[in-house]
Amino acid sequence: QVQLVESGGGSVQAGGSLRLSCVVFGYAYSMNFMGWFRQAPGKEREGVAVTTGEGRTTYADAVKGRFTISQDNAKNSLYLQMNSLKPEDTAMYYCAADYWPIAEGARLVPTQYRYWGQGTQVTVSS
């Protein structure tokens, strides 16, 4: 059974930084697609950043230049370094993964991923 476990959320002031981590359990190989998604209260879940097994990355426009996604295949782990945080980044952040093919134009679409973590809260105060 595949399990994703996130950590690293917390509260920070605007301009600060946080690093999220996600570990995949129960899958012997590297996931082909892994990413970070977020959901703010009253809003739909949205893609933040995703990466392929080859390290090709895609970012949402709202986080480009501030967030960096990375992975460690040997540790089945995914990371999100978040810098210059803004109050509008406040949300529950979820790690997602899948090994089935996902078209390049759909990689930030939450419904493309079958495996999800429970989420970690990020709160940015002004």
Side-chain angles (χ1 to χ4, degrees):
Q1 182 177 357
V2 177
Q3 271 190 306
L4 281 66
V5 180
E6 303 102 332
S7 61
S11 297
V12 65
Q13 288 193 326
S17 299
L18 284 173
R19 186 176 188 243
L20 305 183
S21 299
C22 172
V23 181
V24 179
F25 296 96
Y27 189 67
Y29 307 99
S30 298
M31 289 287 186
N32 289 327
F33 301 91
M34 295 188 70
W36 292 97
F37 296 76
R38 66 186 182 187
Q39 188 166 17
K43 294 189 175 182
E44 292 187 355
R45 191 170 298 190
E46 62 178 3
V48 175
V50 300
T51 184
T52 70
E54 295 84 17
R56 297 185 66 177
T57 57
T58 305
Y59 293 92
D61 288 343
V63 306
K64 281 180 182 176
R66 299 188 298 123
F67 291 10
T68 303
I69 189 171
S70 61
Q71 62 185 359
D72 185 336
N73 290 334
K75 296 181 180 179
N76 268 358
S77 295
L78 182 73
Y79 308 98
L80 185 69
Q81 178 66 43
M82 304 186 294
N83 298 328
S84 302
L85 281 161
K86 304 176 181 180
E88 51 263 44
D89 294 319
T90 295
M92 185 72 77
Y93 282 70
Y94 298 90
C95 175
D98 212 307
Y99 49 81
W100 284 1
I102 300 175
E104 186 171 357
R107 289 174 188 166
L108 287 174
V109 177
T111 54
Q112 296 294 311
Y113 296 80
R114 292 178 293 160
Y115 304 107
W116 290 85
Q118 293 299 308
T120 185
Q121 178 67 37
V122 171
T123 302
V124 184
S125 58
S126 57

